[in-house]
Amino acid sequence: MATPWSTWLNMCPQSSTTLCVLLIACSCVVSTTIGYDGSMMNALNILPSYTDYFSLTTGTLALNTSSIWLGSAISGLFYGKVTDRWGRRPALFWSAVLTAIAVVIQAAAQNIGMFLAARILIGVGTGASTLAGSVYLAETLPYGWRVWGLGILYDFYYVGGLLSAGITYGTASMGSTWAWRIPSALQGLFSIICILLLPFLPESPRWLAYQGRNEEALEVVALTHANGDREDPIVLAQYREIVETLEWEKSAGETLSLLQTVKTPSSRKRMILSTSVAVIACLSGNNIVSFYLGSMLDNAGITDSTTQLEINIILNVWCLVIALVGTWAITILGRKKMAVISAGLLTVFLFMVGAMTKVYGTSSNTSGIYGTVAAIFLFQGSYSFGWTPLSTLYPPEVLNYSIRSNGMGVYTVVTNAVGLMVTMAFPYALDAIGWKTYMINGAWDVLQFVFVLYYWVETAGKTLEEIDEVIDGTKHSDVPNITMVIEGVAVVNDAAENGSIHRRIKDSTTVATKEV
């Protein structure tokens, strides 16, 4: 009789390329939903049919927009434990189900309370999906796919943003509440796609190995790396590296608890690195553009709602292209250098936005007004170039298995707590001090730039297990690094749990074989 595992295995594609593409597609719908939501709320905040229906004030406008952050922060408090206990794949499934249900409630909202409750639930679902999706991809994708897989994960934020911008532009002329209900309802489409794809995908091999299901873990590594070939040298190296590192973590007393995230100096450094991404991603000034573009354009001197919606569409296309270029650039520059470049550029352009808003915001100088819009595009492009792909690439990389899920839970809480704060505060700041808001934010960005420059570590060119050497000073497995196997410098030719591992180490003059 077939087991659930064998059934899932038979449903999985046997082509590694196809399987990796499906893994990325399934996880990317998470960020597509979030991007769709951000762009949708940007557009809805411009539409009179939405603002008049709920009789929004500055306070309720900020509350409706930012409530999704509250829901996402809540998910971070408990969903790391769910992901560790039940697996990455089921965790992603149930978060997608919750998001789909919440979207229906939002589209059917009859009053501000119902709309607000739906948005909090959407936040719980998308926050849980981001947590589970990033962990799932980091642990399941092969070494060579990780940058593109995790980088594109959040690049698709702008795919959702573009779709939403186009849809809301099309429904804006409707004279009823359907102008905002239709975009709200279509937000659930991405969660449905995720639910439909998951039956064809395997569980994380690292989660399986931690549960003692080593044969299944080896099978998944073979499927994702070598079209199911269990004897492939790269498969053998990656599998043994996973098993040995997890065995070391268990023997060292590392547990899957929230306390473990701050228990050791190594864990604390990893948490500082991962949560710094959360803070920088939310406090760089990007949230102003993401949710209050209308207010920014009002301050810049562009008040026509149709023009604002058109700029919203163009901005999302621009950011998507730049984010994809940035993801490609990370494969060349690495994580730290990319972060430094992005942080430096966005700081310069945010100061420029503030200065030009001050000079031209209340003037009739058309060139100056559109120059301000150009500065907004340059700022958002600088952010998208680095921080969009790094937001889901760097955090799960620097967290080892024992703290990866709970660490991403903390990351989710910090991201959304900071996001909630700034999303609530920026409308009041823009109303009260206008262009000075950008100057204050720019001064903070200078501090972020210095922190990344001096504290971050580089993780490029390493598997998740090999990153331990960068942070801990030692690798917790005797298996040669995966790049050595790929280049043919080293060979692992036994994957049995208790078998020997042979490495063939080559230099310019000799070939030595040793047993470890």
Side-chain angles (χ1 to χ4, degrees), residues 288 296 299 350 353-354 357 430 435-442:
I288 312 177
M296 289 184 75
N299 288 339
L350 190 59
V353 171
T357 299
L430 289 170
W435 65 272
K436 295 177 183 177
T437 305
Y438 311 126
M439 297 308 201
I440 295 171
N441 207 145

Side-chain angles (χ1 to χ4, degrees), residues 99-110:
T99 303
I101 293 171
V103 163
V104 173
I105 298 173
Q106 176 179 271
Q110 299 300 305

Side-chain angles (χ1 to χ4, degrees), residues 46-98:
I46 297 171
L47 291 178
S49 59
Y50 165 75
T51 56
D52 293 346
Y53 182 82
F54 291 115
S55 301
L56 296 179
T57 63
T58 299
T60 52
L61 174 72
L63 187 62
N64 270 12
T65 304
S66 62
S67 54
I68 190 172
W69 298 92
L70 174 60
S72 294
I74 292 171
S75 70
L77 297 175
F78 70 93
Y79 218 69
K81 181 61 69 176
V82 172
T83 306
D84 272 338
R85 179 164 185 176
W86 301 110
R88 283 57 169 135
R89 187 171 168 273
L92 185 57
F93 172 81
W94 289 112
S95 60
V97 169
L98 176 59

Side-chain angles (χ1 to χ4, degrees), residues 166-230:
I167 291 168
T168 49
Y169 183 78
T171 62
S173 59
M174 293 183 176
S176 66
T177 60
W178 286 110
W180 60 266
R181 293 188 192 277
I182 289 176
S184 294
L186 291 176
Q187 188 176 358
L189 175 64
F190 311 109
S191 295
I192 294 172
I193 293 172
C194 180
I195 293 168
L196 294 175
L197 287 177
L198 276 170
F200 303 98
L201 302 176
E203 181 54 86
S204 154
R206 289 167 173 88
W207 185 85
L208 291 168
Y210 194 88
Q211 307 302 314
R213 296 161 62 177
N214 289 8
E215 277 296 312
E216 296 170 18
L218 175 58
E219 193 67 47
V220 174
V221 173
L223 278 173
T224 55
H225 287 69
N227 301 321
D229 181 6
R230 295 163 59 116

Side-chain angles (χ1 to χ4, degrees), residues 204-390:
S204 154
R206 289 167 173 88
W207 185 85
L208 291 168
Y210 194 88
Q211 307 302 314
R213 296 161 62 177
N214 289 8
E215 277 296 312
E216 296 170 18
L218 175 58
E219 193 67 47
V220 174
V221 173
L223 278 173
T224 55
H225 287 69
N227 301 321
D229 181 6
R230 295 163 59 116
E231 301 302 319
D232 184 275
I234 297 173
V235 171
L236 302 183
Q238 181 66 93
Y239 167 74
R240 288 299 305 172
E241 194 175 66
I242 291 170
V243 171
E244 289 182 0
T245 303
L246 292 179
E247 287 175 351
W248 179 89
E249 290 186 25
K250 290 179 180 180
S251 67
E254 297 194 7
T255 60
L256 304 180
S257 66
L258 191 59
L259 178 62
Q260 186 64 47
T261 60
V262 294
K263 190 176 180 181
T264 65
S266 172
S267 293
R268 290 192 289 272
K269 179 167 186 175
R270 292 171 188 271
M271 290 303 300
I272 291 172
L273 288 169
S274 64
T275 53
S276 70
V277 181
V279 174
I280 295 170
C282 290
L283 282 182
S284 293
N286 177 61
N287 277 28
I288 312 177
V289 184
S290 295
F291 292 99
Y292 301 112
L293 179 62
S295 298
M296 289 184 75
L297 294 175
D298 285 340
N299 288 339
I302 299 174
T303 57
D304 179 67
S305 61
T306 300
T307 303
Q308 290 182 355
L309 288 171
E310 290 170 347
I311 291 173
N312 189 32
I313 295 173
I314 298 169
L315 183 60
N316 276 281
V317 174
W318 163 254
C319 289
L320 174 60
V321 172
I322 296 298
L324 291 172
V325 171
T327 303
W328 168 78
I330 289 176
T331 64
I332 299 172
L333 298 175
R335 283 63 158 163
K336 182 174 180 177
K337 188 178 291 186
M338 173 60 77
V340 169
I341 292 171
S342 181
L345 288 174
L346 67 85
T347 301
V348 171
F349 291 127
L350 190 59
F351 279 129
M352 189 182 295
V353 171
M356 296 188 73
T357 299
K358 178 184 184 300
V359 174
Y360 300 110
T362 57
S363 74
S364 58
N365 187 320
T366 304
S367 297
I369 290 172
Y370 280 95
T372 306
V373 175
I376 292 173
F377 271 68
L378 289 172
F379 164 78
Q380 195 72 344
S382 300
Y383 179 94
S384 302
F385 183 64
W387 291 105
T388 296
L390 285 170

